[in-house]
Amino acid sequence: MNYQSPTAAAKVEFDKIGQIALTVTDLARAKEFYGNMLGMRFLFDAGTMAFFQCGEIRLLIGLAEKEEPRGGTIVYFKVEDIHAVYANLQAHGVEFVDTPHMIARMPGHDLWMTFLKDPDGNVLGVMSEVRTTQ
């Protein structure tokens, strides 16, 4: 498909994410995981959906209206101490795909990541910018 840039007067700027949605199969179990295990602030329920606040972004977890394949999209959560978060969640039975590992050396910090699965098998990224003294 050939996209044309909007004119200056009608310029479109997507510069802020307001909400991210994840599909789950068991809403009560997912609410427990995201609220109690990951420590997100519960906002409200709306039918087959529950909403949490994660920084400036609202996270919607909800039941699928029809059977759909899941996966492919990964939500990354930024934490201060990736090793402490990994140890804490692993001790509470959270399934990790890997262990924390450095992805890249950046100016002033190293970028570390690990990946975990929620109870429905959705992969979640955990990332941490570890300051360096260089």
Side-chain angles (χ1 to χ4, degrees), residues 4-81:
Q4 296 180 359
S5 298
T7 63
K11 183 148 175 86
V12 174
E13 285 188 31
F14 282 27
D15 64 353
K16 191 179 229 181
I17 294 174
Q19 182 169 288
I20 295 172
L22 290 173
T23 302
V24 299
T25 59
D26 182 327
L27 191 58
R29 179 180 67 185
K31 283 175 64 175
E32 172 73 21
F33 181 80
Y34 284 91
N36 294 335
M37 189 64 65
L38 300 187
M40 290 185 194
R41 184 169 57 91
F42 174 75
L43 295 174
F44 59 92
D45 286 310
T48 60
M49 300 173 288
F51 296 82
F52 291 86
Q53 195 66 41
C54 184
E56 294 183 13
I57 297 176
R58 189 168 56 207
L59 179 70
L60 176 165
I61 56 172
L63 300 176
E65 291 182 16
K66 59 183 178 178
E67 188 64 30
E68 300 174 354
R70 285 192 306 279
T73 299
I74 300 175
V75 178
Y76 290 80
F77 296 95
K78 193 172 184 180
V79 299
E80 290 297 318
D81 187 341

Side-chain angles (χ1 to χ4, degrees), residues 76 79 81-91 94-104 111-117 123-128 130:
Y76 290 80
V79 299
D81 187 341
I82 196 167
H83 298 288
V85 168
Y86 175 83
N88 184 308
L89 293 176
Q90 190 177 47
V94 173
E95 179 186 353
F96 279 83
V97 175
D98 58 7
T99 58
H101 54 284
M102 186 175 55
I103 297 293
L111 179 60
W112 283 71
M113 288 191 191
T114 188
F115 297 87
L116 61 90
K117 290 186 178 183
V123 175
L124 306 176
V126 180
M127 60 187 286
S128 184
V130 180

